[in-house]
Amino acid sequence: MDTLVIVSSEKVTDILDYTILIPAIEKSLAEFSKRTGVIQPVRNVVLIPESEGFLGCMPVYSREDDILATKIVSFFPQNKDVSTHHAVILVFCAHTGIPKALLDGDVITAKRTAATSAVATKYLVNGKPDVLALLGSGVQARSHVAALCELFTFKEIRIWNHRFDGAVKLAKEIGLNCAACRDVSEAVKNADVIVTVTSAKDPVLRLDWVKPGAHINAVGACRPDWSEIDADLMKSAVVYVDSREGAIKESGDIILSQAEIYAEIGEVILGTREAMRKKTTVFKSLGMAIEDGIAAKLVINKLGIQ
Ligand SMILES: NC(=O)C1=CN([C@@H]2O[C@H](COP(=O)(O)OP(=O)(O)OC[C@H]3O[C@@H](n4cnc5c(N)ncnc54)[C@H](O)[C@@H]3O)[C@@H](O)[C@H]2O)C=CC1
Ligand SMILES: O=C(O)C1=NCCCC1
């Protein structure tokens, strides 16, 4: 075996800038929805009942982007003093199958998920958004603020968390135009963009609280029996997903509500499905291996790993 290069989270953080990541993710979402060159089975998950978590395996091959890679990600929602998600990404040569690099996957998971939501928001938001509301104040909340602020200038950012001190801490980090809210209804009132990034298993966001025409990035609830968004909201919104196949198998928000999936976000980027900007839109994100593959490729290219 040739030398396998190990790439640390510090190196990934240094290299992976949203200015290069967001356009790369946009292109990969479109490529995925063409259904021609990307081979990506739905995540294979080993459930761990004791921790209510799982270990997920996410392989991908992309002919167009010359990517052969797999992410292995663990989710332990009850972790307290360490992160709830941990990941590594193994990249192989797409022509010989030789392993090339093993990258820390934590930063990639945080950034590529937020970059994907930023792309969905770019296509689905109704006009210029002024108010951003985040439900959750963990790793993804932080990366989503960074990625969305790369594309939009919000006059106001509001944060709700089920533990108020988490919302206060993040609001302080973000600064002047940001406030912590005690109630979800207060946080999302008149919000143009809402991001749900919690580990909740039951809905935290309700139809009555959401401004008609708002755009929601629904990022948590990645199990078929978990949901973050109430069924009435899911059913009344126009629902976009990253992968239909993934959403039908993994998303409790979709399965439990029986909401109809209107399109993959990649289809909107390709122009084969409409962006219904004036309606309330939900982008249900489950996370795709092609997003990890593209992000890993950007990093190893920059490091000159052949
Ligand atoms: N769609 C995608 O591609 C990805 C989705 N995720 C999901 O996004 C969500 C957030 O992930 P991270 O920020 O990395 O996790 P985190 O552990 O850093 O943050 C989780 C947040 O949820 C809150 N929370 C925990 N239990 C809750 C409950 N019962 N009700 C309401 N809030 C609760 C915590 O206080 C914290 O603010 C998780 O559901 C995770 O599985 C994570 C990675 C990728
Ligand atoms: O795509 C990912 O990576 C994840 N998605 C759902 C939660 C675990 C990580």
Side-chain angles (χ1 to χ4, degrees), residues 135-214:
L135 308 185
S137 61
V139 170
Q140 289 291 339
R142 285 172 171 77
S143 60
H144 274 72
V145 170
L148 287 164
C149 289
E150 189 68 37
L151 296 192
F152 307 102
T153 306
F154 296 101
K155 289 190 180 142
E156 215 184 318
I157 300 177
R158 301 193 205 121
I159 308 190
W160 169 87
N161 193 50
H162 77 141
R163 294 206 174 88
F164 186 59
D165 57 344
V168 171
K169 185 165 182 272
L170 181 54
K172 276 194 187 133
E173 268 174 49
I174 295 169
L176 260 189
N177 62 346
C178 187
C181 300
R182 289 202 181 263
D183 302 309
V184 176
S185 56
E186 184 196 345
V188 302
K189 193 174 179 193
N190 285 323
D192 304 294
V193 178
I194 301 170
V195 181
T196 60
V197 271
T198 73
S199 295
K201 294 180 182 168
D202 299 305
V204 290
L205 183 61
R206 307 213 170 268
L207 172 64
D208 302 350
W209 302 333
V210 174
K211 175 171 92 170

Side-chain angles (χ1 to χ4, degrees), residues 34-190:
K34 281 186 193 162
R35 293 285 183 283
T36 48
V38 178
I39 301 175
Q40 179 195 275
V42 176
R43 181 166 37 223
N44 205 352
V45 162
V46 175
L47 297 177
I48 305 155
E50 290 75 10
S51 64
E52 299 186 313
F54 62 72
L55 185 72
C57 189
M58 303 173 64
V60 65
Y61 170 67
S62 167
R63 188 186 301 125
E64 165 80 12
D65 290 300
D66 215 20
I67 289 170
L68 180 64
T70 189
K71 179 163 89 174
I72 303 179
V73 57
S74 66
F75 176 31
F76 279 64
Q78 291 169 1
N79 280 0
K80 289 286 172 275
D81 301 323
V82 288
S83 299
T84 50
H85 297 73
H86 297 275
V88 288
I89 299 168
L90 186 53
V91 180
F92 299 82
C93 169
H95 305 280
T96 61
I98 297 172
K100 293 201 285 191
L102 181 67
L103 293 86
D104 175 277
D106 296 13
V107 175
I108 289 184
T109 301
K111 289 196 167 190
R112 64 64 151 153
T113 308
T116 302
S117 295
V119 172
T121 308
K122 174 179 141 182
Y123 281 89
L124 299 177
V125 75
N126 182 13
K128 199 173 110 0
D130 287 332
V131 180
L132 168 65
L134 291 140
L135 308 185
S137 61
V139 170
Q140 289 291 339
R142 285 172 171 77
S143 60
H144 274 72
V145 170
L148 287 164
C149 289
E150 189 68 37
L151 296 192
F152 307 102
T153 306
F154 296 101
K155 289 190 180 142
E156 215 184 318
I157 300 177
R158 301 193 205 121
I159 308 190
W160 169 87
N161 193 50
H162 77 141
R163 294 206 174 88
F164 186 59
D165 57 344
V168 171
K169 185 165 182 272
L170 181 54
K172 276 194 187 133
E173 268 174 49
I174 295 169
L176 260 189
N177 62 346
C178 187
C181 300
R182 289 202 181 263
D183 302 309
V184 176
S185 56
E186 184 196 345
V188 302
K189 193 174 179 193
N190 285 323

